[in-house]
Amino acid sequence: MIVTGATNGIGEAAAIELARRGAHVGIVARNPRKSDATVAKIASAAPEAPVDVFIGDLALMSEVRKVAAELLDRYERIDVLVNNAGIQLRRQQATSEGLPEMVAVNYLAPWLLTSLLRERLVASAPARVVVTASEAHRVGWSVDTDRILTDISPFGRAGVMSAYGKSKLLDVLFTFELAERLHGTGVAANCGCPGLVATGLAGTGNAADRVARALSRTPLVRRPEQGARVLVRLATDPEFATRTGAFISSTPLAGIMPMIPAARDVALRRRLWEETESLLAT
């Protein structure tokens, strides 16, 4: 089971729990020092569990390709891919490849990594792709597929949550379209919201993290171990071995809140897929 963003917060908690349940875990991380600390935590929780580390900056598509090549070289089969790495920036930033960084990490990286590992996942079926989405996709409302993947214009303080929400809406649309494209292969694709967790998104000091820390002593905020339950459930629960194209949420209102119209827009998600495929030339 491969987990990206596995050296912090819910990604680390999920990796530890999956190892505790007997999985051979491959963690993808940017920082070797932090990955060493995570490996030590896994070893403490599950001494017999094998763990591999793959270092790469998922903001860069060249690094995503490098990590994918290393994963394919290391593993003859891949049972679960957990696309968890994510950031929320306070201001727009462009990567050295000229892409909007938040969109690159939150959406383009999981799209590309999944695409590069797709044949191995299908060959390993039954297999699963899990994506960390968010209820914040609701404030994204919709996306302009002609602009969002390459737009590096400032989104301003007032637009921070909207920009983050749009990046998570991209994840939801990606998951739903991926599920359809993988229909009949034995690979399930699902996404979930871990709720408000008192931990940083890749250490960016973002607005959501500040709110979470302010409320950290209340029942509204989850510990990383609690937030990770959604990912672990999607990765291991027998229900999600065959159920695909789902968004599940651990927030209190999840059972009564319908998906927003954009998330149900089949034409939108297909346009997004085509634009992404063209941009990344996979």
Side-chain angles (χ1 to χ4, degrees):
M1 297 188 181
I2 299 163
V3 184
T4 71
T7 60
N8 188 66
I10 64 171
E12 182 177 70
I16 292 170
E17 180 59 25
L18 292 172
R20 186 182 285 120
R21 296 187 182 204
H24 180 169
V25 177
I27 63 173
V28 179
R30 291 184 302 169
N31 188 316
R33 179 182 58 79
K34 292 182 70 175
S35 67
D36 288 345
T38 297
V39 170
K41 292 178 185 178
I42 293 174
S44 177
E48 303 302 318
V51 183
D52 301 312
V53 176
F54 303 87
I55 300 298
D57 182 353
L58 299 187
L60 301 176
M61 299 305 103
S62 59
E63 291 280 295
V64 175
R65 294 179 187 278
K66 177 186 76 71
V67 167
E70 291 173 355
L71 290 167
L72 291 172
D73 184 63
R74 177 66 180 83
Y75 301 125
E76 293 184 358
R77 62 176 295 114
I78 298 172
D79 299 286
V80 179
L81 169 61
V82 181
N83 288 304
N84 168 71
I87 57 174
Q88 185 192 28
L89 300 177
R90 288 174 287 180
R91 59 185 62 86
Q92 180 71 278
Q93 293 179 193
T95 70
S96 61
E97 296 173 335
L99 296 171
E101 186 173 1
M102 189 157 62
V103 168
V105 175
N106 293 1
Y107 167 68
L108 292 174
W111 193 99
L112 181 58
L113 184 61
T114 304
S115 296
L116 294 171
L117 300 182
R118 176 172 174 165
E119 290 186 10
R120 188 64 48 86
L121 285 160
V122 171
S124 305
R128 311 185 195 196
V129 176
V130 177
V131 179
T132 300
S134 172
E135 289 286 4
H137 80 275
R138 300 180 187 279
V139 301
W141 188 245
S142 191
V143 292
D144 180 349
T145 59
D146 293 329
R147 298 184 65 241
I148 192 168
L149 302 183
T150 56
D151 184 8
I152 58 173
S153 61
F155 40 71
R157 181 173 295 274
V160 170
M161 280 307 300
S162 176
Y164 176 69
K166 289 181 184 299
S167 76
K168 302 316 285 185
L169 176 56
L170 295 178
D171 284 336
V172 174
L173 293 167
F174 161 57
T175 305
F176 290 176
E177 183 64 15
L178 178 67
E180 182 172 298
R181 289 172 181 257
L182 289 173
H183 179 72
T185 65
V187 181
N190 296 291
C191 58
C193 173
L196 188 60
V197 181
T199 182
L201 291 171
T204 54
N206 55 80
D209 185 47
R210 293 196 298 274
V211 171
R213 292 185 186 281
L215 299 174
S216 62
R217 295 183 182 276
T218 77
L220 297 175
V221 176
R222 294 169 170 81
R223 300 187 305 277
E225 295 78 10
Q226 294 172 306
R229 290 172 186 167
V230 166
L231 303 184
V232 173
R233 180 185 175 199
L234 291 174
T236 63
D237 191 324
E239 175 187 355
F240 293 99
T242 53
R243 182 180 174 188
T244 190
F247 169 82
I248 67 169
S249 176
S250 59
T251 59
L253 298 178
I256 62 174
M257 296 176 68
M259 298 300 294
I260 62 172
R264 301 193 304 268
D265 189 333
V266 176
L268 176 62
R269 77 186 195 210
R270 289 178 180 169
R271 287 199 306 274
L272 175 63
W273 187 282
E274 292 166 0
E275 291 290 339
T276 307
E277 192 169 45
S278 176
L279 175 67
L280 299 178
T282 57

